[in-house]
Amino acid sequence: MRARFYLHVGLWCVLFIIFVALSISTVGPAVLENKIGPIEPNHSTDSYLSGLTHVRSGSDLFVQGIETLPRDKSIRILVDAGNSPSEFLGMLVAYLSWPREVQIIRVSPASYSQELAAINKTSVSAVVFCDLKPPVWIKDAAHFGPSITLLPIESLNSNQ
Amino acid sequence: MNLLGLFAAYVTLFAAGLGVVVLLMRRSIRLRQGYGRQAINLIECAALSWLFGSAVVSLLLWLGGIVASGLVLQLFVTLACVALGFIGWRIKKSNAIHFSLPRPNNRLEWVLASLLALELISIFFVSLKHTLGWDGLFNWEIKARYAFLNSGVLPQSYYSSPGRAFSHPEYPLAIPFTELWLYLWMGAPHQFWIKTIFPLFYISGALLLTLFITRLTGKRWLGLLIALLMPFVPFFTASPGGVTVGYADIPLAVFYVAALGYLLLSSESDSRETLFLFGATLTFIPWIKSEGVILWALLALLGLIVGFVRHRIRPFVIAILPGLLLIISWRVYLKAMHAILPSDFAPPTFELLSHNLNRLGTIFSVLLAEASEPSHWSIFWLLAIVAIIYLLAARTFSRVLLAIGLLGPLTLYLATYLFSAWPSYTAHITSSLPRLLLQLMPATWLGIGLALSQTKAGRKEQPLG
């Protein structure tokens, strides 16, 4: 009975020691990395936009840009299918575009002219390209860092 | 203004939670008075106040938002919170109840309790160092933000918008509407301050875990040790989905371990208090995240089994009814809102089941690969296997019940992948399985704690935990 008790204690001690020893190399650096702040209302979206577009305080700036668009028309967001940063940017754009209706369209960067041509110009106010090179014939686009291009629908009409 | 508003939001949340806790414990406190015990464990009360406070406020915001918005909605929920707090205080006064803070009994307990307190404070600050993760931002905060910008109510256009289907409009509102409550009081959305709610769920879970192990084994040092070890699971602290990124998996895990813990206590004693607390924590499990329905169904079944074995089937049936009502109400609401439903899973049919049975091998191999990944779990799941063997070998009702409470959800979660509609179901498993395992992590620590004690079930509940 006593041997069984020692076996029990020994087994769990060994298991816990291995558990903590293996964990500490991952948990330790994770606890120490980063620092608190900045204490900003758009703490997370600013951080993501800064990383992906190199624009600081990007959330407010983007919302200001979107505010110029009519609320009753929707926005088409073109993202590169299979490119994670592009798709993530597309969702950030959708997040910040509230209350405007949005539609995220996953396209192939080589051939998205069909999707662009299919956009209904009467119900759409703008097209946003996320980490996606806009067609060369586009001139009047607004650039938000190197990764986001906002194209008012009038520009699309006049250029096509 | 921000900090003052934040403080007011927390005070009202805790007031509502405290009222619910005292209401739930009222009857058993009355019964106990005959034995000269009129105390509520302050630690248990604080932990449950947070859980019930967030659940009740989010529920009130949702229900109140059906008929009101803006300042009227905020006033209604505030009054309800204050009323609940006042009722709790009145019950406390009229029954001469006092709160008691359990103190460590010896040097070992003092050391462990001090380390645990330090650890809980550290985790709180660590969780403020990171941004909201994908789910934290696009599944949860997005709802709080849009509801705030729409006078406290999520508009129908959000639920039915195909362009925002990526944010899972069908997900329940406990987390986003707790965040919304903070926004309403702060007067603006604030992605930094809402991160404070997530470590509070973890802290509540760690404290409840300590209490459950203490009460079920009679060894407080063991409860403290297990709670101390919990954050050493790497996925919990250092990975997307853990406590630092604002996901709902930790809150769900905490509600699950709370309900399971009170169920185990109910199975070992005739205490009405634990039965009420089981029913209350069980009710809110499906309100935290969609997978909660699976956890709720399993615990409801286990509750019925306990009721049947203990010849108390009626109170257990009553305990599961509010949760059932909540599940049905949310489904009806989503239908009325024309919400876009997810297409991650195909409708389960026998034909599809038999067609996809060949997935089982792959599902188990992915599970094995994930569970043995040291950078995610260290050897946590090896500890879990050893603990489950101990629990089954103990051959006592409550230990076997706990083993089912650990193995059951895992089995059901894995079975859902048989119906995965993703083009690559292995990608579906790889992306979601780690977080499903995380939801079972605190409950598994409970199992490890009970396995360690080697105590046969049947001991009486301790008064102060």
Side-chain angles (χ1 to χ4, degrees), chain B residues 357-369 414 417 425-427 429 433:
Chain B
L357 270 179
N358 58 355
R359 291 182 177 184
L360 279 175
T362 313
I363 291 171
F364 280 109
S365 63
V366 176
L367 170 69
L368 197 65
L414 293 176
Y417 294 118
Y425 71 93
T426 47
I429 306 171
L433 184 63

Side-chain angles (χ1 to χ4, degrees), chain A residues 78 112-113 116 129 132-139 151 156:
Chain A
L78 266 60
Y112 60 83
S113 49
L116 212 54
F129 299 86
L132 200 65
K133 215 172 168 186
V136 285
W137 45 264
I138 283 179
K139 298 279 188 301
L151 182 71
L156 191 65

Side-chain angles (χ1 to χ4, degrees), chain A residues 4-5 8 11-12 15-16 18-20 22-24 26-27 30-48 88 91-92 94-104, chain B residues 125-126 129-134 137-138 141-142 145-146 149 155 157-158 161 163-164 166 189-193 229 232-234 237-238 375 377-380 382-383 386-387 390 445 448 451-452 454:
Chain A
R4 198 174 148 186
F5 171 75
H8 167 74
L11 170 71
W12 283 105
L15 286 174
F16 281 150
I18 297 172
F19 168 69
V20 174
L22 282 174
S23 298
I24 208 85
T26 313
V27 173
V31 167
L32 296 174
E33 72 184 358
N34 293 348
K35 56 182 182 185
I36 294 173
I39 303 172
E40 296 289 346
N42 297 313
H43 170 256
S44 298
T45 42
D46 278 354
S47 172
Y48 287 127
F88 187 83
M91 285 183 261
L92 264 179
Y95 169 97
L96 292 168
S97 301
W98 181 262
R100 285 154 193 81
E101 186 55 53
V102 294
Q103 189 184 342
I104 298 176
Chain B
F125 285 107
V126 167
K129 294 205 287 186
H130 295 264
T131 54
L132 292 166
W134 198 100
L137 190 65
F138 292 138
E141 199 273 341
I142 195 172
R145 186 184 192 89
Y146 290 177
L149 295 173
S157 60
Y158 168 71
S161 164
R164 290 190 172 85
F166 69 86
H190 206 295
Q191 293 166 356
F192 180 83
W193 287 120
L229 285 170
F232 282 90
V233 173
T237 320
S375 66
W377 305 102
S378 180
I379 58 159
F380 175 70
L382 177 64
L383 300 182
V386 176
Y390 266 76
W445 276 116
I448 293 169
L452 257 166
Q454 278 198 322

Side-chain angles (χ1 to χ4, degrees), chain B residues 256 278 282 285-286 290-305 320 323-324 327 409 412:
Chain B
Y256 183 66
F278 162 67
L282 177 70
I285 289 176
S290 297
E291 300 91 284
V293 175
I294 293 174
L295 300 177
W296 176 88
L298 184 89
L299 277 181
L301 181 66
L302 292 180
L304 291 176
I305 292 170
I320 65 173
L324 187 64
I327 292 168
L412 292 171

